[in-house]
């Protein structure tokens, strides 16, 4: 039986997705036979490959052009570049709608999700945003499929009318904003030398009028900005922002030359945990590397997930950070091509799907739950940031486990509900319930 030592007398049993506390390993493996039927091994296997081949979520990179010069931009966007054509965008929509129809009849229904994002600024391609929004909703209505459309924007719109349109017509709006004026203008300077903070703050002012639209501020955290997060959170809470998603800076794209660095992994984890506790009542703070212990999952939906990412040229990849053909790992992430008529998977797409485990990964207690982005692991083998993402994931998961193991509560495990209790000897007992109570 596989087991991983977490801390003290606590062990994690990946085959059964449970934690046990014991004095000896012999006791650790004495588990009731019911566990086998209640838990299944969810390590990535060939069956999971079908998820990406039947993606129902698509991220459309509508523009390579941007009016910002972010110091860490993964695509090194500039004032010149391409725009996605309406025909390619429609082809992607038809693709995810087709997949949703297949899954619906297979008994595993999925909503169609369209997200507008940019290797540059998506709202530069405004006509495509308008047309695809109406096209996707009409097509999903025709096939009785739920449809959710969102955008991630830098907020640098030159018209309030367009901001109002976004909040009136989309289900989810994300604003990229890294901090108050000083931090924002260092991280995300405008090409014309003007402040990028002022237009973004105007965007936040308008969002207050739309309480039914999911609104999230997304911030990239560097070693410079980490210590200013608390004052930024104060400001967001004062402006009725209820969700903040933070990610440590990834050294790729322009960051390779700018010299900007992510915070130390333990500093990021400490600050993240403190912010979540401090603002628990008025600001929901998240990161994709935080393990959702209630649902045995991560927030990342790209690599081997249910989403594809399509750039302006119609190249389809499985990661938001690798969509530019100039990226050294582009050929490994690129899984297909979109033309005006259809979506074509490359013959070696399955090869990529199987390239998901390293011997080192198998030594980690999160192996069976992690999204196992091996290529990202390899990309981080440089300087002091080697294994950076892994270290954050492991530390956040360990802290979550410790919190779980010090209380009795109901938790969800693979859609089964278990009551976790710790007896006087420190042994964890899991009482499974047939129905949610």
């Amino acid at each position: 039986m596989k087991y991983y030592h977490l801390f003290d007398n606590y062990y994690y049993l990946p085959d059964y997705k449970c934690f046990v506390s014991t004095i000896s390993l012999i006791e650790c493996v004495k588990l009731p036979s019911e566990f086998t039927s209640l838990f299944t091994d969810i390590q990535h296997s060939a069956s999971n490959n079908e998820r990406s081949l039947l993606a129902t979520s698509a991220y459309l990179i509508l523009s390579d052009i941007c009016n910002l010069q972010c110091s860490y931009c993964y695509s090194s966007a500039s004032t010149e570049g391409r725009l996605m054509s309406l025909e390619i965008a429609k082809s992607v929509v038809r693709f995810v709608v087709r997949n949703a129809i297949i899954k619906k009849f297979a008994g595993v229904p999925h909503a169609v999700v369209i997200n507008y994002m940019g290797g540059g600024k998506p709202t530069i391609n405004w006509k495509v945003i308008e047309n695809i929004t109406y096209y996707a909703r009409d097509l999903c209505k025709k096939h009785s499929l739920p449809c959710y459309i969102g955008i991630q924007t830098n907020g640098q719109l030159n018209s309030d009318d367009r901001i109002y349109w976004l909040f009136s017509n989309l289900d989810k709006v994300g604003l990229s904003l890294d901090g108050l004026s000083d931090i924002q203008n260092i991280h995300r300077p405008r090409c014309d030398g003007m402040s990028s903070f002022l237009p973004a703050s105007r965007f936040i002012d308008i969002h207050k009028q739309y309480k039914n639209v999911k609104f999230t501020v997304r911030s990239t955290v560097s070693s410079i900005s980490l210590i200013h997060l608390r004052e930024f959170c104060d400001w967001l809470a004062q402006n009725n922002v209820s969700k903040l998603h933070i990610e440590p800076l990834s050294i790729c794209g322009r960051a390779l030359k700018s010299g900007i660095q992510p915070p130390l992994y333990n500093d990021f984890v400490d600050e993240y945990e403190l912010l979540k506790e401090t603002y628990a009542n008025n600001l929901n703070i998240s990161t994709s590397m935080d393990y959702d212990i209630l649902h045995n999952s991560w927030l990342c939906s790209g690599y081997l997930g249910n989403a594809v990412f399509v750039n302006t040229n119609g190249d389809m990849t499985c990661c938001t950070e690798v969509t530019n053909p100039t990226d050294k790992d582009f050929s490994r992430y690129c899984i297909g091509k979109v033309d005006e008529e259809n979506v074509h998977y490359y013959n070696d797409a399955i090869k990529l799907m199987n390239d998901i485990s390293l011997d080192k990964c198998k030594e980690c207690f999160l192996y069976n739950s992690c999204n196992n982005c091996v290529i990202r692991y390899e990309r981080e083998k440089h300087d002091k940031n080697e294994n950076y993402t892994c270290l954050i994931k492991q530390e956040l998961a360990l802290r979550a486990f410790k919190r779980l193991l010090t209380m009795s509560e109901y938790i969800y495990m693979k859609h089964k509900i278990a009551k976790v209790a710790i007896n006087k000897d420190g042994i964890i007992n899991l009482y499974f319930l047939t129905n949610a109570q």
Side-chain angles (χ1 to χ4, degrees):
M1 176 183 291
K2 292 181 182 177
Y3 67 91
Y4 297 98
H5 180 232
L6 298 177
F7 49 86
D8 299 333
N9 295 320
Y10 290 116
Y11 292 83
Y12 173 55
L13 307 185
D15 291 336
Y16 304 112
K17 296 297 176 295
C18 70
F19 319 97
V20 293
S21 175
T22 181
I23 302 301
S24 70
L25 185 59
I26 295 177
E27 291 181 53
C28 181
V29 299
K30 287 184 177 179
L31 295 169
S33 59
E34 293 87 352
F35 274 69
T36 304
S37 60
L38 287 171
F39 289 105
T40 58
D41 191 354
I42 62 165
Q43 61 184 315
H44 296 303
S45 62
S47 61
N48 275 343
N49 295 335
E50 299 173 4
R51 296 173 61 207
S52 280
L53 299 179
L54 289 175
T56 56
S57 177
Y59 290 76
L60 303 180
I61 300 173
L62 299 180
S63 170
D64 295 332
I65 305 168
C66 193
N67 57 353
L68 298 185
Q69 287 283 298
C70 298
S71 57
Y72 51 77
C73 179
Y74 67 90
S75 63
S76 300
S78 66
T79 55
E80 298 180 356
R82 297 172 56 100
L83 299 178
M84 178 179 285
S85 71
L86 178 60
E87 290 73 22
I88 284 181
K90 283 186 174 181
S91 187
V92 176
V93 170
R94 291 193 297 270
F95 170 69
V96 293
V97 168
R98 183 209 69 175
N99 293 341
I101 293 172
I102 292 173
K103 289 187 174 183
K104 178 181 178 181
F105 283 103
V108 284
H110 281 68
V112 169
V113 180
I114 304 294
N115 291 285
Y116 306 125
M117 58 180 289
K121 176 185 174 185
T123 52
I124 288 178
N125 204 348
W126 187 257
K127 288 297 182 183
V128 169
I129 288 178
E130 286 186 317
N131 279 277
I132 288 299
T133 298
Y134 301 136
Y135 180 74
R137 293 206 189 281
D138 289 345
L139 199 55
C140 287
K141 183 178 180 180
K142 177 181 177 181
H143 295 285
S144 300
L145 295 170
C147 178
Y148 301 100
I149 303 178
I151 190 171
Q152 188 67 36
T153 174
N154 62 20
Q156 310 298 304
L157 281 77
N158 54 12
S159 167
D160 282 0
D161 289 342
R162 290 190 171 182
I163 302 177
Y164 286 120
W165 188 94
L166 293 176
F167 280 108
S168 300
N169 290 275
L170 303 186
D171 304 292
K172 184 176 181 180
V173 176
L175 174 67
S176 296
L177 179 64
D178 288 355
L180 298 180
S181 182
D182 289 346
I183 293 298
Q184 169 73 0
N185 293 327
I186 291 174
H187 273 201
R188 304 173 65 83
R190 283 176 60 114
C191 296
D192 59 10
M194 302 293 286
S195 169
S196 64
F197 177 76
L198 294 178
S201 61
R202 173 61 181 161
F203 200 99
I204 285 182
D205 285 339
I206 293 177
H207 109 276
K208 299 174 186 177
Q209 304 173 36
Y210 294 88
K211 296 182 179 180
N212 293 328
V213 178
K214 292 183 179 180
F215 179 68
T216 303
V217 170
R218 196 274 189 198
S219 298
T220 295
V221 182
S222 71
S223 58
I224 300 171
S225 67
L226 183 70
I227 61 174
H228 299 285
L229 277 177
R230 274 174 253 185
E231 58 184 311
F232 182 46
C233 289
D234 286 339
W235 183 81
L236 291 175
Q238 292 167 8
N239 282 275
N240 300 330
V241 174
S242 59
K243 292 184 178 180
L244 171 65
H245 185 85
I246 64 175
E247 293 292 327
L249 182 148
S250 178
I251 302 181
C252 60
R254 193 173 287 131
L256 290 170
K257 296 181 179 180
S258 69
I260 191 167
Q261 292 288 318
L264 297 176
Y265 87 90
N266 51 331
D267 290 344
F268 177 83
V269 171
D270 288 343
E271 190 66 15
Y272 172 71
E273 293 267 286
L274 179 61
L275 292 175
K276 280 181 68 75
E277 180 180 356
T278 303
Y279 297 93
N281 295 327
N282 53 4
L283 187 60
N284 181 355
I285 301 175
S286 63
T287 178
S288 66
M289 287 176 282
D290 195 0
Y291 183 68
D292 183 354
I293 200 165
L294 296 183
H295 299 91
N296 197 23
S297 64
W298 308 82
L299 293 179
C300 179
S301 62
Y303 190 68
L304 286 184
N306 193 43
V308 291
F309 304 82
V310 183
N311 67 17
T312 56
N313 196 41
D315 299 310
M316 184 168 65
T317 78
C318 59
C319 181
T320 183
E321 291 184 6
V322 188
T323 58
N324 191 323
T326 63
D327 191 292
K328 66 181 180 66
D329 290 314
F330 182 77
S331 61
R332 298 183 69 187
Y333 276 90
C334 189
I335 58 176
K337 184 76 173 180
V338 182
D339 59 30
E340 297 180 0
E341 298 296 329
N342 212 335
V343 172
H344 309 275
Y345 275 100
Y346 293 144
N347 291 332
D348 58 353
I350 296 297
K351 177 182 176 183
L352 169 68
M353 306 305 180
N354 291 327
D355 183 21
I356 58 172
S357 65
L358 297 172
D359 289 339
K360 189 173 183 65
C361 291
K362 295 174 182 177
E363 299 171 4
C364 176
F365 69 92
L366 292 177
Y367 173 68
N368 289 55
S369 301
C370 182
N371 48 357
N372 276 341
C373 186
V374 171
I375 303 177
R376 178 157 189 170
Y377 175 92
E378 292 176 345
R379 285 163 72 90
E380 291 175 349
K381 288 184 176 179
H382 54 75
D383 301 331
K384 61 184 179 182
N385 296 307
E386 183 173 350
N387 309 340
Y388 184 79
T389 300
C390 296
L391 290 171
I392 292 178
K393 284 184 174 183
Q394 290 166 352
E395 183 60 29
L396 286 174
L398 275 174
R399 295 188 187 193
F401 294 162
K402 285 184 178 180
R403 285 193 293 270
L404 172 66
L405 297 173
T406 56
M407 63 183 72
S408 295
E409 60 181 34
Y410 290 96
I411 64 170
Y412 291 85
M413 289 183 173
K414 292 294 292 178
H415 309 296
K416 300 290 183 180
I417 297 178
K419 183 178 181 182
V420 179
I422 303 176
N423 66 19
K424 60 183 177 63
D425 297 318
I427 304 299
I428 296 179
N429 296 306
L430 293 92
Y431 301 101
F432 293 96
L433 309 174
T434 54
N435 298 300
Q437 296 182 7

